[in-house]
Amino acid sequence: MFAFRRERIRRIMGQAASQYDYGCGDPGSGQGLGSGHGFGSGNRAGMAVSIYADRGYLRAEMAEDAAAAGLRVAQTTDLACLLEPGDPPVLPDLVLVDCPVIDGAELAALARLDQRASQMGSHLVVSTSMGSLDEVFGCLDHADAQILVTPSRADRVIALGRVLARTGNRVRELSEEDRLSLLRLTDQVSQIAHKLEQLSSHSASETPGVFRFENQPGYPGKSDAKLDPQFDGGSDRLVRASRPPLPDPRLVRKIIRQRQLRARFFEGDLFADPAWDMLLDLTAARVEHVRVSVTSLCIASGVPPTTALRWIGQMTDAGLLQRVDDETDRRRAFITLTDKAADAMARYFAELGTSASSLV
């Protein structure tokens, strides 16, 4: 049954990637991400992958999916191999690691693996649990690793597709609009894959409920921000106007609560807007002088953690979010707005003015 689902996922990934001119063979060969065997063809067959996971059945699944993607499985072993003294061995093109629960020694080994992957240009995909997400995120800051949180098999297949898309020989430069469109396509593919799994398993109990809702504290309030007169008057002076203050965090929290309230009456996915929900949460936190962990931000996004992490990565690349290491614990990191994003949010709420309270 899963073979059918996986074939559907591969077909969708191939169609989505073809819109962005991903290539994978000699120029003019006509071979693309969606052609040939599995996800790719041509020189894809020589792309090697190492798999580190303690659960035997999971190693077998990951190896099967990698082989179906046209990759060459070079090694499958447990996490203990990463704990051996010295630098990690020479890495292949792709390394898959599963560490749902991680201790100090494994974190150190994962950090070394991250540095090694960055030095060698290897791709790194790490799956973990929500409970270990902050620690794993904190030690992965060199190799641009993909982090998956309690992933389904479909999530791992999609992660492989993203790696293959990155490694094409003829990948054209994407505009910001293209990157966001591709990200949305990937999220749509992920949703379709999960639906296929649910349909094939006939497990109605696993289907998200229509009335899912989690209360968040909200407070009444209003913003005292005023529209900058230089912009109101259409001034074209080159002098940068002073930034208006960020809004009252009580107003932002109220907006967040009102947005979450919709999930009591409608399917939550209908209103999914993770980028805006994360910007709102970080705006309130900035005024409250509260640091936001990646786990907390994933929860605030209102989408599955793996999807939220993809959005965090894209928004970081766009200069809206930034990673800030914990000064007291180098294994932890926080997410905050950049000055560019804070400036935009302040001006947005200033544009709304006193009417912001009446809009929620």
Side-chain angles (χ1 to χ4, degrees), residues 9 129 304 335:
I9 295 169
S129 64
I335 304 295

Side-chain angles (χ1 to χ4, degrees), residues 68-136:
L71 306 178
R72 177 172 56 85
V73 179
Q75 179 186 29
T76 60
T77 186
D78 54 34
L79 290 176
C81 291
L82 292 178
L83 301 179
E84 296 177 356
D87 291 334
V90 176
L91 300 180
D93 306 286
L94 171 62
V95 181
L96 305 179
V97 181
D98 177 66
C99 48
V101 180
I102 194 164
D103 58 24
E106 290 174 342
L107 279 174
L110 194 59
R112 293 195 301 270
L113 179 65
D114 176 61
Q115 293 179 344
R116 185 78 164 175
S118 177
Q119 294 168 357
M120 301 186 65
S122 300
H123 297 272
L124 188 59
V125 177
V126 179
S127 56
T128 187
S129 64
M130 198 68 169
S132 298
L133 175 57
D134 284 332
E135 288 77 12
V136 170

Side-chain angles (χ1 to χ4, degrees), residues 62 117 147-148 161 190 225 254 259 296 327 331:
M62 295 163 76
I147 303 177
L148 311 179
S190 180
K254 183 178 180 181
R259 289 172 62 81
S296 176
E327 296 178 355
R331 296 173 301 177

Side-chain angles (χ1 to χ4, degrees), residues 130 209-218 253 256-266 268 295-296 298-303:
M130 198 68 169
V210 173
F211 299 100
R212 183 176 61 248
F213 176 69
E214 296 180 3
N215 289 318
Q216 295 290 337
R253 295 297 181 194
I256 292 172
R257 187 182 177 211
Q258 296 282 11
R259 289 172 62 81
Q260 293 175 336
L261 185 62
R262 298 173 300 189
R264 291 186 62 179
F265 308 100
F266 302 97
T295 297
S296 176
C298 286
I299 294 172
S301 72
V303 294

